[in-house]
Amino acid sequence: DGKIVSIKEISDPDMGNAFKIAIFLSFFNVHRQWVPINSKVLNTHYNPGKYFVASKDKASLNNEQSSILFKDDSDNPFRIKQIAGFVARRIVNHMTPDLLVKKGQKLGFIKFGSRVEVIVPKNNFEIAIKKGDTVRGCKTILGHFKS
């Protein structure tokens, strides 16, 4: 659950031109993350870091975070980043490389005020939300991979 705080075009090392959808989770939101679609975990990366306020963009670069790269059944890559915030001090990530996961499976958990980023290829994804929207886990559709 949370609020869309930004949608930006970025360059991702695994996807090239991509969209980064940033969701801020306040103290009052649910901080569990779920797998959005059936997919395979390609790799995971943990980066220790700072604890800036998670609603700010610098949290994406500098804060403690776990990054998971997936590939769906149609070979579409996407990345989910769990980012600890000012209050958050612990990230739980249930994903491991080569794991086959199903839509709705528990991905992980971030303890309190945090940020989740979903990174998708720009040329193959249609975004269905906008900055300022409130989103709910396992309910809100962020977008679709194009056929």
Side-chain angles (χ1 to χ4, degrees):
D1 296 352
K3 182 178 181 179
I4 304 292
V5 292
S6 72
I7 301 171
K8 293 185 175 184
E9 292 182 26
I10 64 164
S11 179
D12 182 88
D14 297 298
M15 287 175 260
N17 292 333
F19 289 119
K20 178 175 73 172
I21 303 166
I23 304 165
F24 173 68
L25 293 74
S26 79
F27 181 78
F28 300 104
N29 292 122
V30 174
H31 290 252
R32 159 92 41 216
Q33 294 82 52
W34 295 270
V35 174
I37 54 179
N38 295 346
S39 49
K40 178 180 180 180
V41 177
L42 298 179
N43 66 49
T44 63
H45 177 74
Y46 172 76
N47 184 41
K50 309 264 186 230
Y51 297 100
F52 293 115
V53 175
S55 61
K56 305 296 182 191
D57 278 341
K58 67 180 177 178
S60 179
L61 298 173
N62 299 321
N63 282 22
E64 175 186 356
Q65 59 191 267
S66 179
S67 175
I68 308 112
L69 181 63
F70 297 87
K71 178 173 64 172
D72 75 2
D73 294 338
S74 299
D75 285 338
N76 294 304
F78 65 98
R79 182 183 314 280
I80 296 179
K81 291 172 66 177
Q82 301 170 289
I83 303 169
F86 180 71
V87 176
R89 296 288 191 227
R90 183 152 154 59
I91 295 173
V92 177
N93 175 6
H94 302 303
M95 302 292 101
T96 57
D98 298 321
L99 185 64
L100 297 175
V101 293
K102 299 286 185 188
K103 177 181 178 179
Q105 184 174 332
K106 291 178 181 177
L107 182 148
F109 190 83
I110 311 170
K111 306 285 176 125
F112 310 119
S114 52
R115 179 181 181 114
V116 171
E117 294 178 347
V118 178
I119 301 168
V120 292
K122 180 181 174 186
N123 66 343
N124 196 27
F125 194 82
E126 186 174 322
I127 295 176
I129 42 83
K130 64 185 182 309
K131 183 177 178 181
D133 284 355
T134 298
V135 296
R136 297 191 41 89
C138 291
K139 303 261 188 237
T140 305
I141 296 173
L142 300 182
H144 300 277
F145 283 106
K146 299 174 186 174
S147 298

